[in-house]
Amino acid sequence: MNPEKPLLPKSPTGIQGLDEITGGGLPTGRPTLVCGDAGCGKTLLAMEFLVRGATRFNEPGVFMAFEETGAELAQNVASLGFDLDALIAAGRLVVDYVYIERSEIEETGEFDLEGLFVRLGYAIDSIGARRVVLDTVETLFAGLPNPLILRAELRRLFRWLKDRGVTAIITGERGAGSLTRQGLEEYVSDCVIVLDHRVKDLISTRRLRVVKYRGSTHGTNEYPFVIDSDGIAVLPITSLGLGHSASTERVSSGIPRLDAMLAGAGFYRGSSILVSGTAGTGKTSLAGHFAAAACGRGERVLFFAFEESPSQIVRNLGSVGIDLAPWVAKGLLRFLAARPTVAGLELHLTTMHKAILEFRPHIVIIDPLNSFISAGNEIEVKAMLLRLLDFLKMSQITGFFTKLTAGGSALEHTDAAISSLIDSWLVLLAIESGGERNRAFSILKSRGMAHSNQTREFLLTAQGVELRDVYVGPGGVLTGSARLTQEAQDAAAQLARRHEIAHGQRELEHRRATLEAQIASLRNEFAIQEADTLAAVERHQAREAQLDQERADMAASRKADAPGTDGGQS
Amino acid sequence: MSTESVPDWPPAVAGGTGSPDESYLLRLYVTGVTPNSVRAIANLKRICEEHLQGRYQLEVIDIYQQPELATHEQVIAAPTLIKELPLPLRRIIGDLSNSERVLVGLNLRRRD
């Protein structure tokens, strides 16, 4: 022990969660009072304290039973996997049943409870016990006369237990207006734990609260706990802070186009992803893609289904091209399906908790999240989800949740107001127009990444989910057939324009051809004319020459001297 | 173990107000020599001599010495006198100073 800061020595109970609440266990060498109504789990808690002590912490224990015989106790806790007979045979546990029958007893004067002390001391010494349980010591008040003596003796008993240095649990029935019927809390004041068992809307919830822990800090809240096949499990998850580390690793959503929208890489590992949407918008299909992608990477996925059975999910996702069956067979994908109303929130949470701890998945899918609303009120649901999300984040498990939005309510509305807990929120919505429903998809938020702000049309094809650009134009955002119609119209108009241009070009070509033909014909005409003209000129010149010749010949024949000519020289 | 057995067992003489033929087997569990124990032993001897003379067997057991008997015999309070016989078994607790109630417990007197 650190001398500067002396800490109260504590004995771990070995009960899941209780040691976290109490900061290490019950005060060593001191008695602890565990009180609560009938059937709230006092005996079980006490017994688990002893069994864990004997099996895990090498601290043998004595169970002094005032209400049940050893055989009954052994039977009752056998269902939790505790083998009392073996522990007793191994000298790790003593069960001493204290039989009191009021009708057999006659009080004749002063007495004390030394017999009880002797028995307890003998039992402790016989196995070197470090732990003692008295269950339920108040039975003495019903079985023995003279409460004054009993009170004094009980006070002495608790003192004696302290002197013996055993860590003790004393159970007590809850009384009206006080923690226990006989006011045991007056005597046992080191540590008081109250168990409670409440039924609300037909669903019961067990709760545990550390009312008092002298000399130690402790969680003061009411913590739900469950009793299942492994004993008691308390859920102290709200005691955890926001200390989880944030991973920068990204995990693919399984849909390339969606990854592209999420800054090109998908979600952050360890983040919480919510897909909300009205009925039939494809939430589970998105979850299926995510699961299949994770399994494809060799990661383990735990799928909590609260509306469909595993085989139904596998079949339905198979119809959109997501084949999960091989992953289930490989052991990478595990389904846990239950109706939300089958148990209280806490039992669900604990079941999930345990399944997660056991399977150690990389990804947890809950489909749908808000079915819990039917199993509890909003505050409780939020508290529960907060604890669950905290737990997932602490474990660096990516959480993928779907949430059914009631028709008519705001898309951003979450029943349990869990939006603040969510890192990435995808919204699916049905757009009804032109006599059909189409799905649209957008990212409402995604912390820590530059995500796309675009709405996409969300198509469920036989090959899985497909994200398409929606038609955004003067006519608004169009999806489905309207988008196809618009696209067809656009295509037709384009075709028409193309035709027109081609036509114009052809006409021009034609005109050019016509013109060139005309030019050619004119040229021909001209050439003919030219030729004619030249011929005429030639003829004319030839004629001239002939005339000249004739004239000369005439003159020669006439021997006439021509003034114009040098007659003597020709 | 400090056991005191009355020598003249089985009883020869009938006495007291209970069924005269019944013989008594009594075991008194005490805790050492505490005042309650000492008083109880003295009171019991006196009562037995007065009402059960000659037809009782008494064992006084110190549970400090034999704690396993306390467990085995379901002794809680001390002193405890257990009337083993005749049946029904009765547990008479306290220092036996209230003789009337001791007699009721031993079935030697009717409860009023």
Short mmCIF file of all heavy atoms in Angstrom, two decimals, chain A residues 5 13 55 57 63 72 81 106 123 189 209 252 302 304 315 325 401 423 428 440 465 488 491 494 514 531 535 542 544:
data_model
loop_
_atom_site.label_atom_id
_atom_site.label_comp_id
_atom_site.label_asym_id
_atom_site.label_seq_id
_atom_site.Cartn_x
_atom_site.Cartn_y
_atom_site.Cartn_z
N LYS A 5 -0.81 7.68 0.36
CA LYS A 5 -2.24 7.74 0.06
C LYS A 5 -2.83 6.39 0.41
O LYS A 5 -2.98 5.53 -0.44
CB LYS A 5 -2.44 8.04 -1.42
CG LYS A 5 -3.82 8.50 -1.76
CD LYS A 5 -3.91 8.76 -3.25
CE LYS A 5 -5.32 9.00 -3.70
NZ LYS A 5 -5.41 8.99 -5.16
N THR A 13 -14.89 -9.04 -5.99
CA THR A 13 -16.00 -9.97 -5.92
C THR A 13 -15.98 -10.95 -7.07
O THR A 13 -16.56 -12.02 -6.98
CB THR A 13 -17.34 -9.21 -6.00
OG1 THR A 13 -17.35 -8.47 -7.22
CG2 THR A 13 -17.50 -8.25 -4.85
N THR A 55 -12.81 -19.80 -6.20
CA THR A 55 -12.23 -20.34 -7.42
C THR A 55 -11.19 -19.42 -8.03
O THR A 55 -10.23 -19.89 -8.63
CB THR A 55 -13.33 -20.60 -8.47
OG1 THR A 55 -14.06 -19.38 -8.65
CG2 THR A 55 -14.28 -21.68 -8.00
N PHE A 57 -9.83 -16.25 -6.44
CA PHE A 57 -8.97 -15.42 -5.60
C PHE A 57 -8.38 -16.18 -4.43
O PHE A 57 -7.81 -15.59 -3.52
CB PHE A 57 -9.75 -14.19 -5.11
CG PHE A 57 -10.38 -13.42 -6.23
CD1 PHE A 57 -11.75 -13.39 -6.38
CD2 PHE A 57 -9.59 -12.76 -7.15
CE1 PHE A 57 -12.33 -12.69 -7.43
CE2 PHE A 57 -10.17 -12.06 -8.21
CZ PHE A 57 -11.53 -12.03 -8.34
N PHE A 63 -20.78 -20.00 3.79
CA PHE A 63 -22.13 -19.49 3.51
C PHE A 63 -23.04 -19.96 4.62
O PHE A 63 -23.29 -21.16 4.78
CB PHE A 63 -22.62 -20.03 2.17
CG PHE A 63 -23.83 -19.31 1.65
CD1 PHE A 63 -23.72 -18.32 0.69
CD2 PHE A 63 -25.09 -19.63 2.13
CE1 PHE A 63 -24.84 -17.66 0.21
CE2 PHE A 63 -26.22 -18.96 1.66
CZ PHE A 63 -26.09 -17.97 0.71
N GLU A 72 -30.78 -27.22 -1.23
CA GLU A 72 -31.59 -26.28 -2.03
C GLU A 72 -30.71 -25.24 -2.69
O GLU A 72 -30.86 -24.92 -3.88
CB GLU A 72 -32.62 -25.59 -1.14
CG GLU A 72 -33.81 -26.46 -0.80
CD GLU A 72 -34.67 -25.84 0.30
OE1 GLU A 72 -34.22 -24.89 0.98
OE2 GLU A 72 -35.80 -26.32 0.47
N GLY A 81 -24.06 -22.44 -13.16
CA GLY A 81 -22.76 -23.06 -13.39
C GLY A 81 -21.92 -23.17 -12.14
O GLY A 81 -20.72 -23.42 -12.22
N GLU A 106 -38.65 -22.44 23.13
CA GLU A 106 -39.21 -21.82 24.33
C GLU A 106 -38.12 -20.97 24.96
O GLU A 106 -37.00 -21.44 25.17
CB GLU A 106 -39.64 -22.92 25.29
CG GLU A 106 -40.50 -22.45 26.44
CD GLU A 106 -41.92 -22.14 26.01
OE1 GLU A 106 -42.50 -22.97 25.25
OE2 GLU A 106 -42.43 -21.09 26.40
N ALA A 123 -16.78 -23.07 11.36
CA ALA A 123 -16.80 -23.20 9.90
C ALA A 123 -15.63 -22.43 9.28
O ALA A 123 -14.97 -22.92 8.36
CB ALA A 123 -18.12 -22.68 9.35
N SER A 189 -22.09 -0.61 8.56
CA SER A 189 -22.08 0.71 7.97
C SER A 189 -20.89 0.95 7.06
O SER A 189 -20.68 2.05 6.61
CB SER A 189 -22.10 1.76 9.08
OG SER A 189 -21.15 1.41 10.05
N ARG A 209 -27.29 -0.51 -6.66
CA ARG A 209 -26.74 0.80 -6.31
C ARG A 209 -25.89 0.67 -5.06
O ARG A 209 -26.30 0.02 -4.09
CB ARG A 209 -27.87 1.80 -6.06
CG ARG A 209 -27.38 3.20 -5.81
CD ARG A 209 -28.52 4.19 -5.99
NE ARG A 209 -29.45 4.15 -4.88
CZ ARG A 209 -29.44 5.01 -3.87
NH1 ARG A 209 -28.57 5.99 -3.86
NH2 ARG A 209 -30.32 4.92 -2.91
N SER A 252 -14.21 0.32 -45.64
CA SER A 252 -15.09 0.50 -46.79
C SER A 252 -16.52 0.16 -46.44
O SER A 252 -16.79 -0.73 -45.62
CB SER A 252 -14.62 -0.40 -47.94
OG SER A 252 -15.61 -0.45 -48.94
N LEU A 302 -20.62 -9.03 -36.12
CA LEU A 302 -21.70 -9.51 -35.27
C LEU A 302 -22.96 -8.75 -35.65
O LEU A 302 -22.98 -7.52 -35.62
CB LEU A 302 -21.34 -9.26 -33.80
CG LEU A 302 -22.14 -9.98 -32.73
CD1 LEU A 302 -22.20 -11.47 -33.01
CD2 LEU A 302 -21.50 -9.74 -31.38
N PHE A 304 -26.76 -8.08 -34.91
CA PHE A 304 -27.91 -8.22 -34.01
C PHE A 304 -29.17 -7.88 -34.79
O PHE A 304 -29.35 -6.76 -35.24
CB PHE A 304 -27.78 -7.27 -32.82
CG PHE A 304 -26.66 -7.61 -31.90
CD1 PHE A 304 -25.48 -6.89 -31.94
CD2 PHE A 304 -26.78 -8.65 -31.00
CE1 PHE A 304 -24.43 -7.20 -31.09
CE2 PHE A 304 -25.74 -8.97 -30.15
CZ PHE A 304 -24.57 -8.24 -30.19
N ARG A 315 -31.62 -14.72 -46.80
CA ARG A 315 -32.39 -14.91 -48.02
C ARG A 315 -32.68 -13.57 -48.70
O ARG A 315 -32.47 -13.41 -49.91
CB ARG A 315 -33.71 -15.60 -47.68
CG ARG A 315 -34.57 -15.88 -48.89
CD ARG A 315 -36.01 -16.09 -48.50
NE ARG A 315 -36.63 -14.84 -48.09
CZ ARG A 315 -37.82 -14.78 -47.50
NH1 ARG A 315 -38.49 -15.87 -47.24
NH2 ARG A 315 -38.33 -13.62 -47.14
N ALA A 325 -24.25 -16.12 -46.76
CA ALA A 325 -24.18 -17.49 -46.24
C ALA A 325 -22.75 -18.00 -46.11
O ALA A 325 -22.41 -18.62 -45.08
CB ALA A 325 -25.01 -18.41 -47.12
N PHE A 401 -25.68 0.98 -37.34
CA PHE A 401 -27.04 0.85 -36.83
C PHE A 401 -28.04 1.31 -37.88
O PHE A 401 -27.80 2.28 -38.58
CB PHE A 401 -27.23 1.69 -35.56
CG PHE A 401 -26.09 1.59 -34.61
CD1 PHE A 401 -25.23 2.66 -34.42
CD2 PHE A 401 -25.84 0.41 -33.94
CE1 PHE A 401 -24.15 2.56 -33.56
CE2 PHE A 401 -24.76 0.30 -33.08
CZ PHE A 401 -23.92 1.38 -32.89
N ASP A 423 -21.47 9.26 -35.50
CA ASP A 423 -20.42 9.92 -36.26
C ASP A 423 -20.81 10.12 -37.72
O ASP A 423 -20.57 11.17 -38.29
CB ASP A 423 -19.13 9.13 -36.17
CG ASP A 423 -18.61 9.05 -34.75
OD1 ASP A 423 -18.60 10.10 -34.09
OD2 ASP A 423 -18.24 7.97 -34.30
N LEU A 428 -31.79 7.63 -45.87
CA LEU A 428 -32.46 7.06 -47.03
C LEU A 428 -33.88 7.57 -47.02
O LEU A 428 -34.53 7.55 -45.99
CB LEU A 428 -32.48 5.53 -46.93
CG LEU A 428 -31.16 4.82 -47.15
CD1 LEU A 428 -31.26 3.40 -46.70
CD2 LEU A 428 -30.78 4.90 -48.60
N ALA A 440 -33.91 7.67 -52.43
CA ALA A 440 -32.85 8.65 -52.56
C ALA A 440 -31.96 8.52 -51.34
O ALA A 440 -32.37 8.07 -50.28
CB ALA A 440 -33.40 10.05 -52.66
N VAL A 465 -26.58 -2.86 -54.09
CA VAL A 465 -26.96 -1.45 -54.06
C VAL A 465 -26.18 -0.68 -55.11
O VAL A 465 -24.99 -0.90 -55.31
CB VAL A 465 -26.69 -0.88 -52.65
CG1 VAL A 465 -26.79 0.64 -52.67
CG2 VAL A 465 -27.65 -1.47 -51.64
N ALA A 488 -34.51 10.45 -71.37
CA ALA A 488 -34.91 10.07 -72.73
C ALA A 488 -35.24 11.30 -73.54
O ALA A 488 -34.86 11.43 -74.71
CB ALA A 488 -36.11 9.13 -72.66
N ALA A 491 -32.18 12.96 -74.47
CA ALA A 491 -31.49 12.24 -75.53
C ALA A 491 -32.16 12.49 -76.87
O ALA A 491 -31.47 12.70 -77.90
CB ALA A 491 -31.50 10.74 -75.19
N GLN A 494 -31.35 15.84 -78.16
CA GLN A 494 -29.98 15.91 -78.65
C GLN A 494 -29.88 15.26 -80.02
O GLN A 494 -29.23 15.77 -80.94
CB GLN A 494 -29.09 15.16 -77.65
CG GLN A 494 -27.65 15.56 -77.77
CD GLN A 494 -26.81 14.87 -76.71
OE1 GLN A 494 -27.28 13.95 -76.05
NE2 GLN A 494 -25.59 15.30 -76.56
N THR A 514 -24.35 21.29 -106.61
CA THR A 514 -25.18 21.89 -107.66
C THR A 514 -24.45 23.05 -108.32
O THR A 514 -24.38 23.19 -109.55
CB THR A 514 -26.49 22.40 -107.05
OG1 THR A 514 -26.97 21.43 -106.15
CG2 THR A 514 -27.52 22.70 -108.11
N ALA A 531 -14.58 28.51 -128.65
CA ALA A 531 -14.06 27.74 -129.78
C ALA A 531 -14.70 28.23 -131.11
O ALA A 531 -14.02 28.44 -132.13
CB ALA A 531 -14.37 26.26 -129.54
N ALA A 535 -12.85 29.97 -134.17
CA ALA A 535 -12.96 29.35 -135.50
C ALA A 535 -13.41 30.40 -136.53
O ALA A 535 -12.88 30.47 -137.66
CB ALA A 535 -13.96 28.19 -135.42
N ALA A 542 -8.52 33.69 -142.70
CA ALA A 542 -8.17 32.89 -143.86
C ALA A 542 -8.80 33.50 -145.13
O ALA A 542 -8.18 33.58 -146.18
CB ALA A 542 -8.65 31.45 -143.65
N GLU A 544 -9.60 36.58 -145.49
CA GLU A 544 -8.91 37.84 -145.82
C GLU A 544 -7.67 37.55 -146.66
O GLU A 544 -7.41 38.17 -147.69
CB GLU A 544 -8.50 38.55 -144.51
CG GLU A 544 -9.64 39.26 -143.76
CD GLU A 544 -10.09 40.55 -144.42
OE1 GLU A 544 -9.21 41.34 -144.88
OE2 GLU A 544 -11.31 40.76 -144.49
#
